């Protein structure tokens, strides 16, 4: 009896310790990390548009400077601050979202973002490279799961865009799915009618980087110099609060330099 009671107490104590440790040291989140991201995003999207503009003088003359602010890996505790700045500045953005146990409590923000006129787009349910890049089937299963999880929070019929975790030429997928996996996924995304998109400006604020708001702003504005159309990669993950802090200055820089803001789908439609 005594033995049983001690054993039960020991088990309870170890369970409590495990629970506390879990709170103190949560499992590492699966998010885009700086080293995973391609240094050479696929900019075919812009090249095709530029080629059309070259043969269409009227389009060239009237083409406005455009910027799409995009946020990956949310929603998270960082997202409310991002939404607040966007509302105050009256600019739209595009959110490439994830949906798993680590951000379940923030998923209602997706409805809020979509109602405010922002675009909701697909990133990944799990964002676990070893799972989603095992095979094309595994990738599309993850996307199906993401859509199921978003169904209660977003109008799925408005979702048209997708961003591959790590980008379409990321440095990690080959380890799990072989060298041809991204080429295959891009072709399948086209066949399935998804508008997949990388970026041409990077805030370099992915998980693992600890940048000040000033550094985030500097990365974005430096990367945008000389570009008439910008798709800016930023993150609204739990570790990128300084991106939200930098956002007012980033938006001001684009306003001062004659850009107007739009969602990725709006830019696609404009260039189509
Ligand atoms: Zn990501």
């Amino acid at each position: 009896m005594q033995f049983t009671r001690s054993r039960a107490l020991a088990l309870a104590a170890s369970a409590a310790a495990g629970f506390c440790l879990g709170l103190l040291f949560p499992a590492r989140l699966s998010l885009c990390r700086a080293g995973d991201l391609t240094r050479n995003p696929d900019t075919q999207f812009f090249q095709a548009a530029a080629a059309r503009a070259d043969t269409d003088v009227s389009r060239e003359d009237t083409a406005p400077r455009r910027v799409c602010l995009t946020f990956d890996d949310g929603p998270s505790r960082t997202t409310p601050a991002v939404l607040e700045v966007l509302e105050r500045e009256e600019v739209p953005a595009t959110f490439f979202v994830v949906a798993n146990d680590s951000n379940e409590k923030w998923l209602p923000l997706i409805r809020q973002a979509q109602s405010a006129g922002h675009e909701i787009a697909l990133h990944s349910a799990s964002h676990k490279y070893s799972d989603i890049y095992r095979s094309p089937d595994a990738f599309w299963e993850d996307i199906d799961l993401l859509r199921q999880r978003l169904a209660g929070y977003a109008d799925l019929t408005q979702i048209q865009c997708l961003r591959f975790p790590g980008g379409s030429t990321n440095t990690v997928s080959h380890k799990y799915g072989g060298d041809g996996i991204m080429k295959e996924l891009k072709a399948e995304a086209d066949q399935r009618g998804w508008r997949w998109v990388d970026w041409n400006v990077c805030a370099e604020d992915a998980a693992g980087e600890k940048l000040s708001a000033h550094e985030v702003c500097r990365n974005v504005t430096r990367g945008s110099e000389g570009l008439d159309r910008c798709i800016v990669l930023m993150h609204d993950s739990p570790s990128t609060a300084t991106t939200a802090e930098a956002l007012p200055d980033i938006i001001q820089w684009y306003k001062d330099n004659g850009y107007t803001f739009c969602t990725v789908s709006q830019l696609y439609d404009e260039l189509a």
Side-chain angles (χ1 to χ4, degrees):
M1 181 69 185
Q2 186 59 40
F3 171 78
T4 310
R5 190 182 294 143
S6 322
R7 194 159 170 246
L9 283 171
L11 281 173
S14 78
F19 178 69
C20 291
L21 283 174
L23 288 179
L24 290 172
F25 303 104
R28 203 190 83 172
L29 298 174
S30 296
L31 300 169
C32 282
R33 304 188 85 80
D36 311 330
L37 298 176
T38 173
R39 291 288 159 200
N40 299 297
D42 191 320
T43 54
Q44 255 180 355
F45 175 59
F46 296 102
Q47 284 157 8
R52 280 195 297 275
D54 283 347
T55 59
D56 183 346
V57 176
S58 61
R59 185 190 281 265
E60 178 82 341
D61 285 346
T62 56
R65 291 189 127 189
R66 287 290 205 203
V67 57
C68 302
L69 303 177
T70 74
F71 296 89
D72 288 13
D73 296 352
S76 78
R77 65 184 179 210
T78 303
T79 310
V82 169
L83 288 173
E84 200 180 306
V85 176
L86 295 172
E87 187 181 352
R88 198 169 60 232
E89 299 289 339
E90 298 183 324
V91 300
T94 304
F95 292 87
F96 291 88
V97 300
V98 300
N100 51 53
D101 290 347
S102 72
N103 78 331
E104 199 176 353
K105 92 179 241 207
W106 304 105
L107 294 182
L109 291 172
I110 290 173
R111 186 183 295 120
Q112 186 187 327
Q114 201 175 38
S115 313
H118 303 301
E119 179 170 8
I120 301 301
L122 305 174
H123 197 37
S124 174
S126 73
H127 208 299
K128 281 188 185 137
Y129 296 124
S130 58
D131 179 29
I132 62 174
Y133 288 141
R134 257 183 309 127
S135 67
D137 282 352
F139 181 83
W140 295 114
E141 277 167 25
D142 174 80
I143 290 294
D144 284 345
L145 183 60
L146 175 61
R147 285 166 47 78
Q148 282 170 32
R149 287 178 179 169
L150 295 182
Y153 305 102
D155 176 359
L156 296 183
T157 62
Q158 289 185 39
I159 297 182
Q160 307 178 56
C161 291
L162 178 156
R163 178 175 279 153
F164 296 107
S168 73
T169 52
N170 63 73
T171 61
V172 288
S173 55
H174 70 96
K175 285 189 261 180
Y176 309 107
D179 287 343
I181 181 87
M182 293 315 298
K183 195 175 169 201
E184 209 167 326
L185 285 177
K186 288 196 262 188
E188 290 185 2
D190 288 337
Q191 283 161 15
R192 288 168 182 248
W194 293 112
R195 295 167 154 185
W196 58 267
V197 64
D198 281 341
W199 55 90
N200 63 347
V201 177
C202 182
E204 294 174 39
D205 64 341
E209 299 276 310
K210 284 285 174 202
L211 300 184
S212 67
H214 175 75
E215 288 169 318
V216 172
C217 184
R218 182 204 59 196
N219 289 344
V220 171
T221 56
R222 270 193 195 161
S224 302
E225 274 167 23
L227 298 176
D228 284 335
R229 296 182 186 99
C230 302
I231 295 186
V232 188
L233 172 64
M234 295 179 278
H235 293 80
D236 60 330
S237 74
S239 61
T240 56
T242 55
T243 299
E245 272 176 50
L247 202 50
D249 284 346
I250 290 171
I251 290 171
Q252 192 57 49
W253 186 89
Y254 284 114
K255 286 181 175 173
D256 290 347
N257 284 278
Y259 290 84
T260 50
F261 296 78
C262 63
T263 65
V264 169
S265 281
Q266 286 166 344
L267 186 62
Y268 245 99
D269 289 341
E270 215 169 270
L271 298 178

